[in-house]
Amino acid sequence: MAVDYTVIVVYLAGMLAMGWWGMRRARSKSEFLVAGRRLGPWMYSGTMAAIVLGGASTIGGVGLGYTHGLSGAWMVFTIGLGLLALSVFFSARIARLKVYTVSEMLDLRYGGRAGVLSGVVMWAYTLMLAVTSTIAYATIFDVLFDLNRTLAIVIGGSIVVAYSTLGGMWSITLTDMVQFVVKTVGVLLLLLPIAVVKAGGFGAMRDELPGDYFEPLGVGGQTIFTYVLIYTFGMLIGQDIWQRVFTARSDKVARWGGTVAGTYCLVYALAGAVIGTAAKVMYPKLPSADAAFATIVKDELPVGVRGLVLAAALAAVMSTSSGALIACATVANNDIWARVRGAAARRGAHGEPGEHGEHEEVDEVKGNRLFILVMGVLVVGVSIVLNDVVEALTVAYNLLVGGLLVPILGGLLWRRGTAAGALCAVVVGGLSVVGLMWHYGILANEPVYYGLLASLAVYVAVSLGTPPTDAVTLAAWRERLAGRGPDPSAPEASVHA
């Protein structure tokens, strides 16, 4: 394992080095939180694919293939569909808003009265997403170094917190590009063909496994529908995803770069399912489906290649973890803490220039850097004490979709939506989801179904029953959507990445 260890250590050292390099570029709030809104199509596509394809998509995707065969691709496939829908239909408008958070978009659309509560819900979602990714370090480091769970979480979490705190989105972008390349080589170009060959080829796989392993809908229609509600719609409104959209240097980059990333996700989904199916042939009686990835890597890959593929798994976890961490810190600082201090109209929320110029920007960088550090410590601490995060992450996703999907998409698509309708939709949708989870069980499908319907019904009814949003707010909103509003990060040069 010495060669494999060397590959992993060099990889981790490279992540820290890029964090240090990114620190030199992140000298303003825009640079620190959204990479100066300067990413070109190549970097944008790579980082967007990296953020959505995490440990659940890699280790979990292979596990679903092990359990259900090719239809196990549906979970990651719906993530790709969500990213495609976001990129084609919404990303250009989102990028032109020139904001930093989803809640700031709600403030602009509804007149500054819908962002606080949505910020709390979004913070809970991003926190649990970061915790889930951080816990995944325990699995990978156990395979690599036989470390105990707590130490593995501390080591992996500390590396992500370090490079994220140093350089913000610039560091995360640079590391995500490396992670994207490592995942592509490790999973698609190495593990996929080796797994199929070791299993005897597709013909042997068909002969060894039941026919339903090769049925496109074998995982079940209701399961696929639930994946669409949670993951496809979740891609449309998550702060971690929107914050990457904000990094695009133009609306065209956001649209076409995101389309490329979404297509890549579809390929990655199928690859994971095929690898899992091959693992089922080779190891039909594994104690856990999630062990399929680590088992096939450890037992079937040659020295050096094994280290690279394990680095690919580590890359998948780190990209999601760092993206969720900076999203969590951005929401905590800009949408919650700033409002608690009575600074809801701070520079960036509505695009007004700061009063103190560069000094204010430097102070904001320090403040956001501090919040990443604090949120990082919180994430590591919660990860250590929380054993099973499946239920907690389900709660977060249900609240996100049930409480925020309707007011966000309603604000983008329906002019008649009002602030009162948005607030009621968040409250009713969120409370409905919580109550239904208590009644049906946290992992049941009904809470997100009925919570989403309740949110939609209340949003429409209250919006129609209250005065329309005032003309001044709507006019300012239309200006921002058209890209003619004030740009808080201008002037900035382009980077042709």
Side-chain angles (χ1 to χ4, degrees):
M1 293 288 290
V3 175
D4 297 322
Y5 290 161
T6 302
V7 172
I8 298 297
V9 170
V10 169
Y11 169 77
L12 294 176
M15 296 299 100
L16 291 174
M18 289 186 180
W20 183 262
W21 188 88
M23 182 177 66
R24 301 171 59 187
R25 303 200 61 168
R27 300 186 181 278
S28 69
K29 178 181 178 180
S30 175
E31 295 279 356
F32 191 82
L33 293 182
V34 291
R37 309 185 195 276
R38 297 191 295 175
L39 298 191
W42 167 240
M43 290 190 73
Y44 180 86
S45 297
T47 58
M48 183 62 86
I51 180 65
V52 300
L53 295 174
S57 300
T58 303
I59 299 172
V62 171
L64 286 171
Y66 184 88
T67 303
H68 301 287
L70 297 186
S71 67
W74 271 106
M75 184 189 78
V76 184
F77 201 82
T78 56
I79 291 174
L81 292 178
L83 186 52
L84 285 171
L86 174 71
S87 302
V88 173
F89 299 112
F90 300 107
S91 63
R93 282 180 283 181
I94 293 170
R96 288 195 292 264
L97 289 174
K98 304 296 183 184
V99 295
Y100 292 103
T101 68
V102 175
S103 295
E104 288 176 13
M105 167 263 166
L106 293 174
D107 277 351
L108 285 170
R109 171 60 180 82
Y110 296 112
R113 290 171 289 174
V116 180
L117 186 58
S118 66
V120 173
V121 175
M122 191 65 75
W123 176 80
Y125 157 73
T126 54
L127 177 70
M128 292 315 304
L129 185 62
V131 166
T132 305
S133 302
T134 303
I135 288 179
Y137 295 132
T139 301
I140 298 173
F141 278 97
D142 178 58
V143 174
L144 289 173
F145 306 116
D146 194 26
L147 297 177
N148 69 66
R149 180 180 182 276
T150 299
L151 185 57
I153 289 172
V154 170
I155 292 175
S158 297
I159 292 171
V160 170
V161 172
Y163 73 70
S164 301
T165 302
L166 286 172
M169 187 59 80
W170 266 123
S171 294
I172 292 172
T173 297
L174 294 171
T175 55
D176 276 359
M177 280 305 300
V178 175
Q179 290 157 0
F180 170 73
V181 172
V182 170
K183 281 191 288 189
T184 300
V185 174
V187 175
L188 297 185
L189 301 184
L190 293 177
L191 183 58
L192 175 60
I194 289 174
V196 172
V197 170
K198 292 284 187 178
F202 286 105
M205 290 163 62
R206 281 187 172 275
D207 293 339
E208 290 288 334
L209 297 174
D212 58 0
Y213 262 70
F214 301 91
E215 293 292 332
L217 305 180
V219 72
Q222 186 179 22
T223 299
I224 295 172
F225 182 65
T226 303
Y227 285 159
V228 170
L229 279 185
I230 293 179
Y231 297 114
T232 301
F233 287 131
M235 288 295 106
L236 298 180
I237 59 176
Q239 169 67 26
D240 52 323
I241 310 303
W242 277 42
Q243 199 157 341
R244 296 310 174 97
V245 176
F246 301 150
T247 66
R249 92 174 160 223
S250 69
D251 53 1
K252 290 183 179 179
V253 169
R255 182 185 294 114
W256 294 110
T259 300
V260 171
T263 304
Y264 178 90
C265 291
L266 303 184
V267 175
Y268 200 88
L270 184 58
V274 171
I275 293 168
T277 305
K280 183 68 175 179
V281 173
M282 290 183 280
Y283 310 100
K285 296 182 179 181
L286 288 178
S288 168
D290 286 339
F293 181 90
T295 301
I296 195 171
V297 169
K298 192 173 183 180
D299 293 349
E300 303 296 336
L301 298 186
V303 173
V305 173
R306 179 171 53 203
L308 182 60
V309 174
L310 287 173
L314 192 60
V317 175
M318 293 179 80
S319 58
T320 300
S321 180
S322 59
L325 176 59
I326 194 172
C328 179
T330 302
V331 171
N333 188 17
N334 291 266
D335 294 335
I336 300 176
W337 177 245
R339 298 167 194 267
V340 169
R341 295 181 318 177
R346 61 182 296 175
R347 183 186 186 280
H350 299 289
E352 298 93 348
E355 297 179 358
H356 305 291
E358 184 178 347
H359 177 69
E360 180 179 322
E361 284 288 283
V362 172
D363 286 345
E364 291 191 355
V365 170
K366 291 180 179 178
N368 282 290
R369 183 172 282 134
L370 176 62
F371 264 86
I372 290 180
L373 180 60
V374 172
M375 290 299 108
V377 172
L378 176 62
V379 165
V380 171
V382 173
S383 301
I384 291 172
V385 301
L386 199 62
N387 289 319
D388 184 4
V389 298
V390 173
E391 292 187 351
L393 188 61
T394 301
V395 171
Y397 263 109
N398 285 351
L399 284 173
L400 177 72
V401 174
L404 295 183
L405 178 68
V406 169
I408 291 172
L409 295 189
L412 289 170
L413 300 174
W414 191 39
R415 292 180 58 188
R416 189 60 180 81
T418 65
L423 286 171
C424 289
V426 174
V427 173
V428 171
L431 291 178
S432 297
V433 164
V434 172
L436 290 167
M437 283 190 293
W438 177 81
H439 178 72
Y440 288 104
I442 289 178
L443 299 180
N445 295 325
E446 288 84 358
V448 71
Y449 296 167
Y450 300 142
L452 192 56
L453 289 174
S455 179
L456 177 61
V458 169
Y459 179 73
V460 172
V462 175
S463 292
L464 292 175
T466 53
T469 306
D470 66 89
V472 174
T473 298
L474 283 179
W477 167 252
R478 287 194 294 270
E479 287 292 300
R480 292 293 282 267
L481 276 181
R484 295 190 295 267
D487 182 353
S489 57
E492 288 176 320
S494 294
V495 170
H496 298 279

